[in-house]
């Protein structure tokens, strides 16, 4: 039941100043005006409240009523989230389109989850069992890829005095009654959780497993662990969204939450048109069955961008608590920060560098610290990996959002405009990027792929550093004056960049590379360098190496050997060794 708790005093863009609001609290969700526009209390001062409204405030006027239900902005959690497209405040866009057409009417209120759809519920506990908060009550098969575990609500524990039998139920049907100190709590499949409050867990665990993306430059050179945070900064047109689309398709996360946070509408349209047609490469089932979308484009109200990122991370935490590994793609946090800047300006707060509010870094920290690998309240292990793009104006990585973000992430995939202009994708710079997860996940690579992975990785990174120094010389005097050993370094690095780092998303063979195939490709290149370097020392020239059939095979190996030809690729390093040993000098 909505109560009138005040009235509009002044409207300044997305910020509404309200008066006579003594009953409101910070972060309370309110509805403004006769159209019931959704908003949130962001400041209280004397008898005034300042509300950020998540919809267009045009035509709002003084004396319009303010309504409140007396609780914070929340998301609805339960079966039916998978495959759904929401806006920044969790309104289902497909349902709105059916009822309202292509343009969302202001103040439209439609439940985030379908109340009429029935779900087959299987109880996992029995009557008279004692259950604690966060433990599993039962299961629902949400999609063929995701078993939705119904959790005991946070703050509720006690003796189960009734549990629903195995059958179909709607979200509003009661599925259990838990007695707590003489009080009976009715439990439903539908739960609510405030978006700005992190969900609890038992213990934060160390990261020890990589998120396998199938993108060679990421998995081999700049990996991210499950539960880690990575920033993907880059100027306009460098491929931020392309990388996030690839990771959403190919990463081995159980569930993907894709948050379009203020990006251009055509980019979000592209992903919404293509994802329903995509097949999960691991299960051969629609990828939509393990993906949730939050679509908030640049033409939507600016305040909704600020909410969308919290909506996404809260949904991710909910599935993490079931024991799943979640990857959340935030595209882009710069648009979210710009929303903070706009709202801060409307609230007349003191700005810092480039007009951003003083609390920008703390808001970024609050978001990134909700990632991580944890032991859940039901003793499962779940993780949230955050991969957020950053859009620095003009590609300037020293601007506030990028520089503050670097403080809170352990992975940095810097996108290079020159690489993007040269059509080298992924356009991740191997000189500016870094990952602090290498030591955390090296044992996984040694155990599951090969013990030489780390040594080969260091070898190729060392060669890339040597190449950077040599290229400065080449710019001055040309490559012809370099000794053969240095020309070999340039040649091997060229092979590595074009054969290994450059990867085509449109090539069925090249779009995804398993860890073993990545390792074998890397081993082949390093083996070629080591054997060729020995021959160079004996007097062979780099030009003579170019004429060898094995050289051409190395250059073409990414398209020659698919995942079904790993045996042939496994023999390539030995064949390289044999071919070069046969050369007589």
């Amino acid at each position: 039941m909505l109560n009138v708790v005040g009235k509009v005093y002044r409207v300044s863009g997305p910020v509404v100043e309200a008066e006579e609001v003594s009953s409101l609290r910070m972060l309370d969700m309110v509805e403004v005006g006769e159209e019931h526009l959704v908003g949130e209390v962001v400041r209280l001062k004397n008898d005034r409240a300042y509300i950020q409204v998540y919809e267009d405030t045009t035509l709002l006027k003084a004396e319009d009523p303010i309504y409140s239900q007396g609780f914070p902005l929340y998301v609805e959690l339960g079966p039916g989230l998978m495959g759904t497209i929401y806006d920044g405040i969790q309104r289902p866009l497909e349902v709105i389109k059916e009822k309202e057409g292509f343009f969302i009417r202001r103040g439209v209120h439609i439940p985030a989850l379908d109340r009429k759809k029935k779900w087959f519920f299987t109880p996992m506990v029995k009557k008279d069992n004692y259950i604690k908060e966060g433990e599993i009550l039962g299961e629902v098969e949400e999609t063929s890829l995701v078993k939705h575990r119904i959790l005991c609500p946070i703050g509720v524990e006690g003796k189960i005095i009734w549990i629903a039998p195995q059958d179909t139920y709607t979200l509003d049907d009661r599925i259990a009654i838990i007695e707590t100190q003489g009080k009976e709590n009715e439990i439903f499949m539908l739960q609510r959780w405030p978006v700005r409050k992190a969900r609890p867990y038992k213990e934060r665990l160390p990261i020890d497993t990589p998120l396998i993306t199938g993108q060679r430059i990421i998995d081999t050179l700049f990996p991210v662990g499950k539960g880690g945070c990575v920033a993907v900064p880059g100027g306009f047109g460098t491929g931020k969204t392309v990388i996030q689309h690839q990771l959403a398709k190919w990463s081995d996360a159980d569930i993907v939450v894709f948050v379009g946070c203020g990006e251009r509408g055509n980019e979000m349209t592209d992903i919404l048109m293509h994802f329903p047609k995509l097949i999960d490469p691991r299960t051969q089932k629609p990828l939509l069955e393990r993906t949730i979308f939050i679509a908030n484009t640049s033409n939507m109200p600016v305040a909704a961008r600020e909410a969308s990122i919290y909506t996404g991370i809260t949904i991710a935490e909910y599935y993490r608590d079931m024991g799943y590994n979640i990857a959340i793609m935030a595209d882009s946090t710069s648009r979210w920060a710009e929303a903070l800047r706009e709202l801060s300006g409307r609230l007349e707060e003191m700005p810092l560098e480039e007009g951003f509010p003083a609390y920008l870094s703390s808001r970024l920290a609050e978001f990134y610290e909700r990632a991580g690998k944890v032991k859940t309240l039901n003793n499962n292990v779940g993780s949230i990996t955050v991969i957020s793009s950053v859009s620095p104006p003009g590609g300037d990585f020293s601007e506030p959002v990028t520089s503050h973000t670097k403080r809170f992430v352990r992975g940095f995939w810097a996108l290079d405009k020159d690489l993007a202009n040269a059509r080298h994708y992924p356009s991740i710079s191997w000189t500016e990027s870094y990952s602090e997860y290498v030591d955390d996940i090296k044992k996984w690579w040694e155990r599951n792929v090969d013990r030489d992975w780390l040594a080969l990785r260091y070898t190729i990174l060392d060669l890339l550093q040597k190449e950077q120094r040599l290229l400065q010389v080449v710019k001055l005097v040309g490559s012809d004056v370099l000794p053969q050993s240095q020309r070999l370094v340039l040649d091997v690095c060229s092979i590595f960049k074009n054969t290994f780092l450059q990867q085509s998303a449109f090539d069925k063979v090249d779009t995804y590379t398993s860890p073993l195939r990545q390792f074998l490709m890397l081993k082949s290149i390093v083996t070629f360098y080591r054997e060729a370097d020995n021959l160079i020392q004996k007097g062979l020239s780099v030009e003579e190496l170019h004429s060898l059939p094995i050289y051409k095979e190395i250059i073409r190996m990414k398209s020659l050997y698919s995942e079904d030809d790993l045996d042939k690729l496994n023999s390539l390093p030995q064949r390289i060794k044999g071919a070069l040993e046969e050369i007589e000098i």
Side-chain angles (χ1 to χ4, degrees):
M1 180 68 183
L2 292 172
N3 301 312
V4 177
V5 293
K7 58 186 180 182
V8 173
Y9 175 75
R10 185 176 65 157
V11 179
S12 175
V15 174
V16 169
E17 187 178 339
E19 59 183 352
E20 299 176 16
V21 290
S22 56
S23 64
L24 278 180
R25 298 168 299 177
M26 273 294 289
L27 303 181
D28 268 2
M29 185 171 74
V30 297
E31 294 177 13
V32 182
E34 297 299 344
E35 291 184 295
H36 292 264
L37 309 182
V38 176
E40 183 181 20
V41 177
V42 293
R43 180 196 285 175
L44 291 171
K45 188 176 181 181
N46 300 325
D47 67 337
R48 298 278 171 88
Y50 294 81
I51 299 161
Q52 74 176 28
V53 180
Y54 295 119
E55 300 180 69
D56 184 11
T57 57
T58 304
L59 300 182
L60 271 184
K61 60 187 184 300
E63 303 294 320
D64 278 353
I66 309 283
Y67 304 93
S68 173
Q69 293 180 342
F71 45 74
L73 182 69
Y74 65 85
V75 288
E76 292 188 346
L77 303 170
L81 289 166
M82 278 304 140
T84 309
I85 304 163
Y86 294 109
D87 73 352
I89 50 176
Q90 211 199 8
R91 294 182 299 187
L93 295 179
E94 290 282 354
V95 179
I96 291 175
K97 188 188 84 170
E98 291 170 9
K99 294 190 176 183
E100 301 284 333
F102 287 101
F103 296 94
I104 303 175
R105 176 174 52 84
R106 293 193 312 161
V108 62
H109 289 272
I110 293 176
L113 297 172
D114 189 345
R115 299 296 197 271
K116 295 179 181 178
K117 184 172 181 179
K118 291 196 169 186
W119 300 92
F120 192 80
F121 172 76
T122 304
M124 307 295 286
V125 293
K126 296 179 180 177
K127 184 184 174 184
D128 297 329
N129 284 4
Y130 190 88
I131 192 165
K132 295 181 180 179
E133 61 178 3
E135 293 185 346
I136 299 170
L137 278 165
E139 280 187 348
V140 167
E141 189 170 312
E142 187 170 3
T143 70
S144 61
L145 300 179
V146 177
K147 279 199 182 297
H148 193 111
R149 291 156 189 144
I150 307 299
L151 307 176
C152 181
I154 304 300
V156 176
E157 66 172 272
K159 182 181 176 183
I160 298 172
I161 59 176
W162 179 80
I163 184 77
Q166 191 177 57
D167 204 348
T168 56
Y169 303 93
T170 67
L171 297 182
D172 287 333
D173 289 335
R174 185 178 61 184
I175 58 163
I177 300 175
I178 298 174
E179 185 180 48
T180 307
Q181 298 177 345
K183 179 187 174 185
E184 291 187 357
N185 297 292
E186 293 186 330
I187 309 300
F188 304 88
M189 286 192 278
L190 176 69
Q191 298 182 19
R192 294 182 176 89
W193 189 262
V195 296
R196 296 184 187 275
K197 182 180 177 183
R199 287 178 64 89
Y201 51 83
K202 274 189 179 177
E203 180 186 357
R204 187 175 283 266
L205 301 174
I207 293 170
D208 57 5
T209 307
L211 180 76
I212 299 301
T213 67
Q215 311 309 300
R216 294 187 290 268
I217 188 168
I218 294 173
D219 292 344
T220 298
L221 294 192
F222 310 112
V224 56
K226 284 181 178 172
C229 298
V230 175
V232 191
F236 174 78
T238 52
K240 298 181 295 295
T241 306
V242 172
I243 286 174
Q244 291 201 316
H245 287 196
Q246 275 292 91
L247 300 195
K249 295 173 194 174
W250 293 102
S251 68
D252 67 343
D254 300 316
I255 292 165
V256 173
V257 180
F258 196 100
V259 183
C261 182
E263 281 302 297
R264 290 176 298 281
N266 61 321
E267 293 181 351
M268 206 66 217
T269 302
D270 181 64
I271 193 171
L272 296 180
M273 289 181 67
H274 284 89
F275 257 75
K277 304 172 188 173
L278 294 174
I279 301 299
D280 188 331
R282 291 180 295 159
T283 60
Q284 302 306 310
K285 293 180 178 177
L287 198 61
L288 210 59
E289 292 192 10
R290 63 176 182 91
T291 310
I292 301 166
F293 298 101
I294 295 165
N296 202 88
T297 59
S298 53
N299 62 338
M300 291 182 177
V302 66
R305 302 182 197 176
E306 208 262 336
S308 61
I309 208 159
Y310 292 107
T311 300
I313 197 76
T314 305
I315 291 172
E317 286 178 334
Y318 176 61
Y319 281 98
R320 175 207 67 191
D321 291 348
M322 300 179 199
Y324 289 115
N325 295 307
I326 320 300
I328 177 167
M329 312 289 169
D331 187 17
S332 90
T333 51
S334 290
R335 306 286 173 256
W336 170 67
E338 286 166 10
L340 285 180
R341 179 168 61 185
E342 163 113 2
L343 293 165
S344 175
R346 298 284 185 178
L347 291 167
E348 300 176 357
E349 295 171 337
M350 182 66 74
L352 289 185
E353 49 188 337
E354 295 192 23
F356 287 104
Y359 48 78
L360 172 64
S361 61
S362 62
R363 291 287 179 87
L364 284 166
E366 285 171 9
F367 170 65
Y368 285 112
E369 71 185 8
R370 290 174 74 170
K373 181 180 179 182
V374 304
K375 185 178 183 181
T376 66
L377 297 176
N378 50 53
N379 293 319
N380 281 320
V381 174
S383 70
I384 297 175
T385 307
V386 173
I387 299 163
S388 62
S389 67
V390 187
S391 309
D396 177 16
F397 292 172
S398 65
E399 61 88 38
V401 181
T402 310
S403 57
H404 283 305
T405 297
K406 288 180 79 170
R407 296 164 54 195
F408 309 118
V409 300
R410 295 180 59 204
F412 193 75
W413 300 337
L415 302 186
D416 189 298
K417 195 170 184 97
D418 291 335
L419 289 174
N421 289 340
R423 299 295 183 264
H424 183 292
Y425 288 103
S427 56
I428 296 173
S429 167
W430 45 86
T431 56
E432 294 183 74
S433 303
Y434 63 84
S435 171
E436 296 175 5
Y437 295 105
V438 174
D439 289 337
D440 297 333
I441 64 170
K442 66 179 181 182
K443 288 185 179 177
W444 183 93
W445 277 88
E446 291 171 356
R447 190 168 55 246
N448 294 279
V449 181
D450 195 282
R451 295 184 64 84
D452 290 338
W453 172 77
L454 194 61
L456 295 179
R457 179 183 174 277
Y458 284 144
T459 299
I460 204 69
L461 283 173
D462 184 51
L463 288 176
L464 289 172
Q465 287 181 347
K466 287 180 181 177
E467 184 210 29
Q468 289 302 308
R469 294 192 293 270
L470 291 173
L471 287 176
Q472 300 302 317
V473 178
V474 169
K475 284 180 183 177
L476 294 173
V477 296
S479 60
D480 293 340
V481 301
L482 293 178
Q484 291 293 326
S485 59
Q486 293 182 348
R487 292 174 70 180
L488 177 65
V489 171
L490 293 177
D491 194 61
V492 169
C493 287
S494 176
I495 294 172
F496 182 68
K497 288 185 287 189
N498 295 318
T499 302
F500 192 92
L501 299 184
Q502 191 173 23
Q503 196 166 348
S504 172
F506 299 104
D507 187 322
K508 288 184 178 179
V509 174
D510 199 35
T511 186
Y512 175 86
T513 308
S514 66
L516 179 56
R517 185 161 160 244
Q518 291 184 41
F519 170 78
L520 294 174
M521 290 175 69
L522 178 62
K523 185 179 179 181
S524 300
I525 294 169
V526 173
T527 300
F528 172 77
Y529 169 70
R530 288 171 176 167
E531 295 299 319
D533 191 47
N534 289 333
L535 293 175
I536 293 289
Q537 304 299 330
K538 296 176 182 176
L540 192 74
S541 70
V542 172
E543 287 73 15
E544 289 175 282
L545 290 171
H546 290 177
S547 62
L548 297 175
I550 199 74
Y551 182 87
K552 294 168 185 171
E553 189 176 345
I554 295 168
I555 290 173
R556 296 173 55 219
M557 65 179 167
K558 68 177 179 182
S559 55
L560 279 177
Y561 303 116
S562 68
E563 297 294 338
D564 298 326
D565 303 314
L566 291 181
D567 288 342
K568 294 178 183 176
L569 187 57
N570 191 30
S571 67
L572 182 57
Q574 198 58 41
R575 286 189 285 116
I576 291 169
K577 205 170 180 180
L580 296 185
E581 284 176 350
E582 290 177 2
I583 298 175
E584 295 182 3
I585 300 174

